[in-house]
Amino acid sequence: MRGIPSIGAAILAVGLAACASAPTGPQELTVTAVDLAYEPETLEVVAGRPVILTMVNEGAIEHDFSIMEIHVEAVGEVHEEEMEHEMGGMDPELHFAAHAGETSSLEFTPTEAGSYEFFCSVAGHKEAGMVGTLVVKAR
């Protein structure tokens, strides 16, 4: 009879350890924009967890971060600079910009796993290779 409570305690301890190891809070990522490139080119997040994405613009001109189609909720600006370039009629699902030498952030929660192309919408930048991939992993 003594073994039964010990087994229950062991199961409870394993369950608590699993809960304790599950990450909490927002996923915080930084991408650096340099002239005509992002570093890193691939970002990974987990679906269902809030993300705070910060872009540091080390380039000589304004850059932005745009994703045309992605399943997200709770999109909110943490800090965004006023844009100075024309978007050419584009209406991306996620978009924020930073002037040269500035930093900008966006908070969102991705809801569906997948790979999503991000790019700079400043004229000619995407075509010159300023693109990357946001990988959203399932929980």
Short mmCIF file of all heavy atoms in Angstrom, two decimals, residues 35-76:
data_model
loop_
_atom_site.label_atom_id
_atom_site.label_comp_id
_atom_site.label_asym_id
_atom_site.label_seq_id
_atom_site.Cartn_x
_atom_site.Cartn_y
_atom_site.Cartn_z
N ASP A 35 21.34 47.34 -45.59
CA ASP A 35 20.93 47.67 -46.94
C ASP A 35 20.79 46.43 -47.81
O ASP A 35 21.76 45.73 -48.08
CB ASP A 35 21.88 48.71 -47.55
CG ASP A 35 21.66 50.06 -46.87
OD1 ASP A 35 20.51 50.35 -46.49
OD2 ASP A 35 22.63 50.81 -46.72
N LEU A 36 19.52 46.15 -48.14
CA LEU A 36 19.08 45.07 -49.03
C LEU A 36 19.26 43.67 -48.47
O LEU A 36 19.35 42.71 -49.21
CB LEU A 36 19.73 45.21 -50.40
CG LEU A 36 19.49 46.58 -51.06
CD1 LEU A 36 20.18 46.65 -52.40
CD2 LEU A 36 18.01 46.89 -51.18
N ALA A 37 19.22 43.53 -47.13
CA ALA A 37 19.26 42.20 -46.51
C ALA A 37 18.70 42.26 -45.09
O ALA A 37 18.67 43.31 -44.46
CB ALA A 37 20.69 41.67 -46.48
N TYR A 38 18.22 41.10 -44.63
CA TYR A 38 17.82 40.92 -43.24
C TYR A 38 18.80 39.93 -42.61
O TYR A 38 19.26 38.99 -43.26
CB TYR A 38 16.42 40.29 -43.14
CG TYR A 38 15.28 41.16 -43.57
CD1 TYR A 38 14.60 40.91 -44.75
CD2 TYR A 38 14.84 42.22 -42.79
CE1 TYR A 38 13.52 41.67 -45.14
CE2 TYR A 38 13.77 43.00 -43.18
CZ TYR A 38 13.11 42.72 -44.35
OH TYR A 38 12.04 43.49 -44.74
N GLU A 39 19.08 40.13 -41.34
CA GLU A 39 19.91 39.19 -40.59
C GLU A 39 19.20 38.89 -39.28
O GLU A 39 18.95 39.84 -38.52
CB GLU A 39 21.29 39.80 -40.31
CG GLU A 39 22.09 40.06 -41.57
CD GLU A 39 23.37 40.84 -41.31
OE1 GLU A 39 23.68 41.15 -40.14
OE2 GLU A 39 24.05 41.16 -42.29
N PRO A 40 18.80 37.66 -38.98
CA PRO A 40 18.91 36.49 -39.85
C PRO A 40 17.81 36.50 -40.91
O PRO A 40 16.83 37.24 -40.80
CB PRO A 40 18.71 35.33 -38.88
CG PRO A 40 17.83 35.88 -37.80
CD PRO A 40 18.20 37.33 -37.68
N GLU A 41 17.97 35.64 -41.89
CA GLU A 41 16.97 35.53 -42.97
C GLU A 41 15.82 34.61 -42.59
O GLU A 41 14.78 34.63 -43.25
CB GLU A 41 17.62 35.02 -44.25
CG GLU A 41 18.59 36.01 -44.86
CD GLU A 41 19.23 35.49 -46.13
OE1 GLU A 41 18.99 34.32 -46.52
OE2 GLU A 41 19.99 36.25 -46.75
N THR A 42 16.00 33.80 -41.55
CA THR A 42 14.96 32.88 -41.11
C THR A 42 14.69 33.12 -39.63
O THR A 42 15.62 33.17 -38.82
CB THR A 42 15.37 31.41 -41.32
OG1 THR A 42 15.65 31.21 -42.71
CG2 THR A 42 14.26 30.46 -40.89
N LEU A 43 13.41 33.28 -39.29
CA LEU A 43 12.97 33.45 -37.91
C LEU A 43 12.01 32.32 -37.59
O LEU A 43 11.23 31.92 -38.45
CB LEU A 43 12.25 34.79 -37.74
CG LEU A 43 13.03 36.04 -38.12
CD1 LEU A 43 12.10 37.25 -38.14
CD2 LEU A 43 14.16 36.27 -37.13
N GLU A 44 12.06 31.80 -36.35
CA GLU A 44 11.16 30.72 -35.94
C GLU A 44 10.40 31.11 -34.69
O GLU A 44 10.99 31.63 -33.74
CB GLU A 44 11.95 29.43 -35.68
CG GLU A 44 12.54 28.83 -36.92
CD GLU A 44 13.21 27.49 -36.66
OE1 GLU A 44 13.22 27.00 -35.52
OE2 GLU A 44 13.75 26.93 -37.63
N VAL A 45 9.08 30.84 -34.72
CA VAL A 45 8.21 31.08 -33.57
C VAL A 45 7.25 29.91 -33.44
O VAL A 45 7.19 29.04 -34.30
CB VAL A 45 7.42 32.41 -33.73
CG1 VAL A 45 8.37 33.61 -33.75
CG2 VAL A 45 6.55 32.39 -34.96
N VAL A 46 6.48 29.91 -32.35
CA VAL A 46 5.52 28.85 -32.09
C VAL A 46 4.11 29.43 -32.17
O VAL A 46 3.83 30.48 -31.59
CB VAL A 46 5.76 28.21 -30.70
CG1 VAL A 46 4.71 27.16 -30.38
CG2 VAL A 46 7.17 27.62 -30.62
N ALA A 47 3.23 28.75 -32.88
CA ALA A 47 1.84 29.18 -33.02
C ALA A 47 1.18 29.27 -31.65
O ALA A 47 1.43 28.44 -30.77
CB ALA A 47 1.07 28.22 -33.91
N GLY A 48 0.34 30.27 -31.48
CA GLY A 48 -0.43 30.41 -30.26
C GLY A 48 0.28 31.19 -29.16
O GLY A 48 -0.34 31.52 -28.15
N ARG A 49 1.56 31.48 -29.32
CA ARG A 49 2.31 32.28 -28.34
C ARG A 49 2.55 33.67 -28.90
O ARG A 49 2.97 33.82 -30.03
CB ARG A 49 3.65 31.63 -28.02
CG ARG A 49 3.52 30.44 -27.08
CD ARG A 49 4.85 29.97 -26.54
NE ARG A 49 5.59 31.02 -25.85
CZ ARG A 49 6.92 31.08 -25.84
NH1 ARG A 49 7.65 30.19 -26.47
NH2 ARG A 49 7.53 32.06 -25.19
N PRO A 50 2.32 34.71 -28.09
CA PRO A 50 2.59 36.06 -28.55
C PRO A 50 4.05 36.23 -28.96
O PRO A 50 4.94 35.59 -28.40
CB PRO A 50 2.27 36.93 -27.34
CG PRO A 50 1.41 36.09 -26.47
CD PRO A 50 1.81 34.68 -26.72
N VAL A 51 4.27 37.11 -29.93
CA VAL A 51 5.61 37.41 -30.44
C VAL A 51 5.82 38.91 -30.34
O VAL A 51 4.94 39.69 -30.70
CB VAL A 51 5.74 36.98 -31.92
CG1 VAL A 51 7.08 37.43 -32.50
CG2 VAL A 51 5.57 35.48 -32.06
N ILE A 52 6.98 39.31 -29.85
CA ILE A 52 7.40 40.71 -29.96
C ILE A 52 8.59 40.67 -30.91
O ILE A 52 9.65 40.12 -30.59
CB ILE A 52 7.80 41.32 -28.62
CG1 ILE A 52 6.58 41.37 -27.68
CG2 ILE A 52 8.37 42.73 -28.83
CD1 ILE A 52 6.89 41.87 -26.29
N LEU A 53 8.39 41.23 -32.09
CA LEU A 53 9.41 41.24 -33.13
C LEU A 53 9.98 42.66 -33.22
O LEU A 53 9.25 43.62 -33.42
CB LEU A 53 8.83 40.83 -34.48
CG LEU A 53 9.77 40.87 -35.67
CD1 LEU A 53 10.98 39.95 -35.46
CD2 LEU A 53 9.02 40.47 -36.94
N THR A 54 11.28 42.76 -33.05
CA THR A 54 11.96 44.04 -33.12
C THR A 54 12.85 44.07 -34.34
O THR A 54 13.58 43.11 -34.61
CB THR A 54 12.81 44.28 -31.85
OG1 THR A 54 11.93 44.27 -30.71
CG2 THR A 54 13.56 45.60 -31.91
N MET A 55 12.76 45.16 -35.10
CA MET A 55 13.63 45.35 -36.25
C MET A 55 14.58 46.51 -35.94
O MET A 55 14.14 47.61 -35.62
CB MET A 55 12.84 45.66 -37.52
CG MET A 55 13.75 45.84 -38.74
SD MET A 55 12.86 46.06 -40.30
CE MET A 55 11.92 47.55 -39.99
N VAL A 56 15.87 46.22 -36.06
CA VAL A 56 16.90 47.23 -35.90
C VAL A 56 17.37 47.59 -37.31
O VAL A 56 17.85 46.72 -38.04
CB VAL A 56 18.09 46.69 -35.07
CG1 VAL A 56 19.18 47.74 -34.95
CG2 VAL A 56 17.61 46.22 -33.70
N ASN A 57 17.21 48.84 -37.69
CA ASN A 57 17.61 49.26 -39.03
C ASN A 57 19.02 49.83 -38.99
O ASN A 57 19.23 50.96 -38.57
CB ASN A 57 16.63 50.29 -39.60
CG ASN A 57 16.96 50.65 -41.04
OD1 ASN A 57 17.99 50.28 -41.58
ND2 ASN A 57 16.05 51.37 -41.66
N GLU A 58 19.99 49.03 -39.42
CA GLU A 58 21.38 49.47 -39.50
C GLU A 58 21.73 49.95 -40.90
O GLU A 58 22.89 50.22 -41.19
CB GLU A 58 22.32 48.35 -39.06
CG GLU A 58 22.19 48.02 -37.58
CD GLU A 58 23.15 46.95 -37.12
OE1 GLU A 58 23.90 46.37 -37.94
OE2 GLU A 58 23.15 46.67 -35.90
N GLY A 59 20.72 50.03 -41.77
CA GLY A 59 20.93 50.49 -43.14
C GLY A 59 21.00 52.01 -43.22
O GLY A 59 20.80 52.71 -42.23
N ALA A 60 21.26 52.49 -44.42
CA ALA A 60 21.39 53.92 -44.65
C ALA A 60 20.06 54.58 -45.01
O ALA A 60 19.98 55.81 -45.07
CB ALA A 60 22.40 54.17 -45.77
N ILE A 61 19.01 53.77 -45.25
CA ILE A 61 17.70 54.30 -45.60
C ILE A 61 16.62 53.54 -44.85
O ILE A 61 16.89 52.54 -44.19
CB ILE A 61 17.45 54.20 -47.13
CG1 ILE A 61 17.52 52.74 -47.59
CG2 ILE A 61 18.43 55.05 -47.91
CD1 ILE A 61 17.15 52.54 -49.04
N GLU A 62 15.38 53.99 -44.97
CA GLU A 62 14.24 53.34 -44.32
C GLU A 62 14.07 51.92 -44.86
O GLU A 62 14.27 51.66 -46.04
CB GLU A 62 12.97 54.13 -44.59
CG GLU A 62 11.72 53.51 -43.98
CD GLU A 62 10.45 54.25 -44.34
OE1 GLU A 62 10.42 54.93 -45.38
OE2 GLU A 62 9.50 54.12 -43.58
N HIS A 63 13.71 50.99 -43.96
CA HIS A 63 13.36 49.63 -44.33
C HIS A 63 12.10 49.25 -43.56
O HIS A 63 11.78 49.85 -42.54
CB HIS A 63 14.48 48.64 -44.00
CG HIS A 63 15.70 48.80 -44.84
ND1 HIS A 63 15.71 48.57 -46.20
CD2 HIS A 63 16.96 49.19 -44.52
CE1 HIS A 63 16.92 48.80 -46.68
NE2 HIS A 63 17.70 49.19 -45.67
N ASP A 64 11.42 48.23 -44.06
CA ASP A 64 10.26 47.73 -43.33
C ASP A 64 10.25 46.21 -43.35
O ASP A 64 11.13 45.56 -43.94
CB ASP A 64 8.96 48.32 -43.85
CG ASP A 64 8.58 47.87 -45.26
OD1 ASP A 64 9.10 46.86 -45.75
OD2 ASP A 64 7.75 48.55 -45.88
N PHE A 65 9.28 45.66 -42.66
CA PHE A 65 9.08 44.22 -42.54
C PHE A 65 7.63 43.98 -42.89
O PHE A 65 6.73 44.53 -42.22
CB PHE A 65 9.38 43.78 -41.11
CG PHE A 65 9.22 42.32 -40.84
CD1 PHE A 65 10.34 41.50 -40.78
CD2 PHE A 65 7.97 41.74 -40.62
CE1 PHE A 65 10.22 40.15 -40.50
CE2 PHE A 65 7.84 40.39 -40.36
CZ PHE A 65 8.96 39.59 -40.30
N SER A 66 7.37 43.22 -43.96
CA SER A 66 6.01 42.99 -44.42
C SER A 66 5.77 41.51 -44.67
O SER A 66 6.64 40.83 -45.22
CB SER A 66 5.75 43.73 -45.73
OG SER A 66 5.94 45.11 -45.57
N ILE A 67 4.59 41.02 -44.28
CA ILE A 67 4.12 39.67 -44.64
C ILE A 67 2.72 39.86 -45.21
O ILE A 67 1.84 40.41 -44.53
CB ILE A 67 4.10 38.70 -43.45
CG1 ILE A 67 5.51 38.50 -42.89
CG2 ILE A 67 3.47 37.36 -43.86
CD1 ILE A 67 5.59 37.58 -41.69
N MET A 68 2.53 39.44 -46.45
CA MET A 68 1.25 39.66 -47.11
C MET A 68 0.11 38.87 -46.47
O MET A 68 -0.92 39.43 -46.16
CB MET A 68 1.34 39.33 -48.60
CG MET A 68 2.18 40.32 -49.39
SD MET A 68 1.66 42.05 -49.21
CE MET A 68 0.07 42.02 -50.02
N GLU A 69 0.32 37.56 -46.29
CA GLU A 69 -0.75 36.72 -45.74
C GLU A 69 -0.19 35.82 -44.66
O GLU A 69 0.76 35.07 -44.89
CB GLU A 69 -1.40 35.87 -46.83
CG GLU A 69 -2.15 36.70 -47.85
CD GLU A 69 -2.85 35.85 -48.88
OE1 GLU A 69 -3.15 34.67 -48.61
OE2 GLU A 69 -3.10 36.36 -49.98
N ILE A 70 -0.76 35.93 -43.47
CA ILE A 70 -0.38 35.10 -42.33
C ILE A 70 -1.57 35.10 -41.38
O ILE A 70 -2.29 36.10 -41.26
CB ILE A 70 0.90 35.62 -41.64
CG1 ILE A 70 1.32 34.68 -40.50
CG2 ILE A 70 0.73 37.04 -41.18
CD1 ILE A 70 2.68 35.01 -39.90
N HIS A 71 -1.80 34.00 -40.73
CA HIS A 71 -2.90 33.90 -39.76
C HIS A 71 -2.39 34.39 -38.40
O HIS A 71 -1.56 33.75 -37.78
CB HIS A 71 -3.41 32.46 -39.67
CG HIS A 71 -3.92 31.94 -40.98
ND1 HIS A 71 -5.18 32.22 -41.43
CD2 HIS A 71 -3.32 31.21 -41.95
CE1 HIS A 71 -5.35 31.66 -42.63
NE2 HIS A 71 -4.23 31.05 -42.95
N VAL A 72 -2.91 35.56 -37.99
CA VAL A 72 -2.48 36.16 -36.72
C VAL A 72 -3.68 36.75 -36.00
O VAL A 72 -4.73 36.99 -36.59
CB VAL A 72 -1.43 37.27 -36.93
CG1 VAL A 72 -0.13 36.71 -37.47
CG2 VAL A 72 -1.94 38.37 -37.81
N GLU A 73 -3.48 37.00 -34.73
CA GLU A 73 -4.45 37.73 -33.93
C GLU A 73 -3.67 38.68 -33.03
O GLU A 73 -2.46 38.55 -32.87
CB GLU A 73 -5.34 36.80 -33.12
CG GLU A 73 -4.60 35.93 -32.15
CD GLU A 73 -5.49 34.95 -31.41
OE1 GLU A 73 -6.52 34.52 -31.95
OE2 GLU A 73 -5.12 34.60 -30.28
N ALA A 74 -4.37 39.59 -32.44
CA ALA A 74 -3.80 40.52 -31.47
C ALA A 74 -2.58 41.27 -32.01
O ALA A 74 -1.54 41.32 -31.38
CB ALA A 74 -3.46 39.78 -30.18
N VAL A 75 -2.72 41.84 -33.19
CA VAL A 75 -1.62 42.62 -33.77
C VAL A 75 -1.65 44.01 -33.12
O VAL A 75 -2.68 44.65 -33.07
CB VAL A 75 -1.76 42.75 -35.30
CG1 VAL A 75 -0.66 43.64 -35.86
CG2 VAL A 75 -1.72 41.38 -35.96
N GLY A 76 -0.51 44.43 -32.63
CA GLY A 76 -0.42 45.74 -32.02
C GLY A 76 0.97 46.31 -32.14
O GLY A 76 1.95 45.59 -32.09
#
